[in-house]
Amino acid sequence: MTAGTTTGTSRADQSAVRHPVYNDRKLHLGTFSSNLSGGCAISTIDGTLEATWDQTQALATMGDQMDFEALVPVGRWRGFGGETNFNGAGFECFTWAAGMGSATEKAGLFVTSHVPTIHPVLAAKQAATIDHISAGRLALNIVTGWHAPEIEMFGVKQLPHDERYDVAQEWVDIIRQLWTSEEPISVDGKYFTVTDASIAPKPVQTPHPVLMNAGGSGAGRHFGARNCDVVFVSSDLAQQSPEAMRAKVDDFKRLAREEYGREIKVWTNAYVVQEDTEAEAAQFLDYYVNQRGDWEAVENLVTSMGMNSQSFAPETMQAMKYHFIAGWAGYPVVGTKEQVADTLIALGAEGGLDGVLLSWPRYIQDMKRFQEETYPLLVQAGVR
């Protein structure tokens, strides 16, 4: 399938179109935060991602060549200061995905959208447009917004945590109606008003595009289990193992099945540090985190998240900051090409994960090495 191949066909003709996350590979893969400066590494080392179109497109091209099921941008409106102003420069997610829809042929394209920053009618229309540009590869990642200074840029106040998911529920209900209803809709809700609204053409995917959410709180988990096709779990800093991941995956799938009668796919994010030897990998990890990490930026980040020394023990806070610098607090995948491949395989087989979003500290050169050296091992193992 290539971009634009469904142009001119009816929705009935497109009924067989399935997003890449539904393919039958044993291990699904994707990239994370390839649209922002720094990517996922809060470090001053050379080679971290720059916010240029050439660099972000190069990463998308590599992901497309490896048939990645997900290219997931991070929605970010301002950086976190420090020497790097981590994530301070970057590309807006809807327009980024539209561009990537024309630049790629197979990879799943995700749009990360902050609920408070865009009206649901506009979000529904833009997402449908990208679904056509990409021939049915669009997925909408719904985020409620935790970084208060970003939300306040739009002239609105940050709502209490759980109420943000009430807003998100009304928002996604309207979008689903617009994607699926053949008649105009009107909604007089608590948070949104819609009068005689409709969109055409409808999305390529039926009944509607893939929905995703990464909320980890109680309210976030219930929102994801009720509404989304793909949800995320984070790794436990105190126990990072496939077995610990399996418990989280099973618990989330049980919630969706028992509370909402739904089957969901569960993913996580991981950072990859690959060198010729295990010792060299550990040494480089120490170098770009402990020696060259932007500790001021990560302090600003965790403070904005509400994490502080009053809530966590000092050693726990230090571990959180360490893993945020290393790769947005993802699961560590560190070692030789064989160890990297084995860890990813274990996360799928023993960990029960449906997919893993990957990032690398020196994003372009490290991902290229992964493509050339590690990805063939995953193919040989039969997981790709």
Side-chain angles (χ1 to χ4, degrees):
M1 180 188 300
T2 58
T5 55
T6 63
T7 301
T9 60
S10 67
R11 275 198 113 202
D13 296 331
Q14 299 161 357
S15 61
V17 172
R18 296 285 281 171
H19 191 279
V21 298
Y22 292 119
N23 70 36
D24 59 1
R25 290 195 182 100
K26 294 180 181 178
L27 180 66
H28 292 164
L29 295 176
T31 56
F32 189 44
S33 192
S34 65
N35 63 314
L36 300 177
S37 61
C40 290
I42 314 177
S43 179
T44 61
I45 58 168
D46 292 334
T48 57
L49 186 62
E50 298 176 16
T52 69
W53 191 255
D54 285 347
Q55 288 203 5
T56 191
Q57 184 169 316
L59 297 177
T61 298
M62 281 189 278
D64 203 43
Q65 290 168 347
M66 290 184 278
D67 290 348
F68 276 15
E69 287 78 14
L71 307 179
V72 181
V74 169
R76 182 66 62 235
W77 300 99
R78 64 187 301 162
F80 292 98
E83 183 178 349
T84 61
N85 191 27
F86 176 64
N87 285 178
F91 298 104
E92 185 277 328
C93 294
F94 279 94
T95 46
W96 176 89
M100 290 308 167
S102 293
T104 59
E105 295 186 348
K106 296 170 287 186
L109 300 169
F110 284 65
V111 169
T112 301
S113 180
H114 285 88
V115 169
T117 68
I118 183 170
H119 192 277
V121 174
L122 180 57
K125 183 72 169 179
Q126 291 184 158
T129 301
I130 298 168
D131 207 35
H132 280 266
I133 292 171
S134 63
R137 293 184 284 130
L138 178 280
L140 181 60
N141 177 26
I142 304 163
V143 293
T144 59
W146 55 265
H147 190 23
E150 288 188 320
I151 304 306
E152 291 166 358
M153 288 174 62
F154 291 83
V156 296
K157 292 183 178 180
Q158 181 75 294
L159 294 174
H161 179 275
D162 286 6
E163 188 176 359
R164 297 174 215 165
Y165 285 98
D166 295 336
V167 180
Q169 188 63 58
E170 194 170 295
W171 188 83
V172 75
D173 285 344
I174 293 170
I175 288 177
R176 272 193 299 239
Q177 289 181 68
L178 289 167
W179 279 343
T180 58
S181 176
E182 297 302 328
E183 300 295 329
I185 68 166
S186 294
V187 176
D188 184 15
K190 181 177 180 180
Y191 304 102
F192 298 100
T193 299
V194 174
T195 303
D196 199 28
S198 63
I199 65 166
K202 302 298 185 185
V204 172
Q205 297 173 70
T206 56
H208 57 70
V210 167
L211 295 174
M212 182 179 88
N213 179 257
S217 66
R221 281 163 47 83
H222 275 273
F223 177 86
R226 176 182 176 181
N227 297 285
C228 297
D229 308 291
V230 179
V231 299
F232 274 75
V233 292
S234 59
S235 61
D236 189 341
L237 297 182
Q239 189 178 8
Q240 291 173 324
S241 68
E243 293 74 21
M245 190 64 73
R246 166 71 75 169
K248 290 192 168 191
V249 171
D250 289 349
D251 184 58
F252 215 147
K253 291 192 173 186
R254 186 181 307 112
L255 172 66
R257 188 177 301 118
E258 295 181 357
E259 294 287 331
Y260 300 101
R262 305 184 66 250
E263 297 295 329
I264 58 174
K265 295 184 179 296
V266 181
W267 288 50
T268 197
N269 66 300
Y271 58 88
V272 179
V273 182
Q274 178 183 321
E275 297 293 341
D276 291 334
T277 69
E278 184 177 3
E280 288 174 332
Q283 183 179 29
F284 180 63
L285 176 61
D286 175 76
Y287 171 70
Y288 86 83
V289 175
N290 289 323
Q291 299 178 48
R292 297 292 298 275
D294 188 344
W295 291 88
E296 181 182 352
V298 80
E299 179 67 34
N300 294 337
L301 188 155
V302 299
T303 299
S304 182
M305 284 184 163
M307 302 175 182
N308 52 56
S309 57
Q310 285 73 45
S311 304
F312 299 95
E315 59 271 19
T316 301
M317 281 295 300
Q318 188 68 11
M320 288 180 180
K321 293 175 185 177
Y322 177 96
H323 285 289
F324 269 112
I325 291 175
W328 201 253
Y331 191 99
V333 182
V334 182
T336 65
K337 62 183 180 182
E338 292 84 4
Q339 289 173 313
V340 168
D342 288 345
T343 300
L344 292 175
I345 292 169
L347 285 173
E350 284 89 55
L353 287 164
D354 295 291
V356 183
L357 291 183
L358 304 174
S359 65
W360 293 262
R362 299 162 299 194
Y363 220 133
I364 291 180
Q365 74 177 72
D366 291 340
M367 185 175 174
K368 184 173 180 61
R369 183 174 187 176
F370 176 90
Q371 181 183 22
E372 294 174 347
E373 300 179 6
T374 309
Y375 190 77
L377 300 179
L378 299 176
V379 175
Q380 291 171 18
V383 299
R384 296 291 299 171

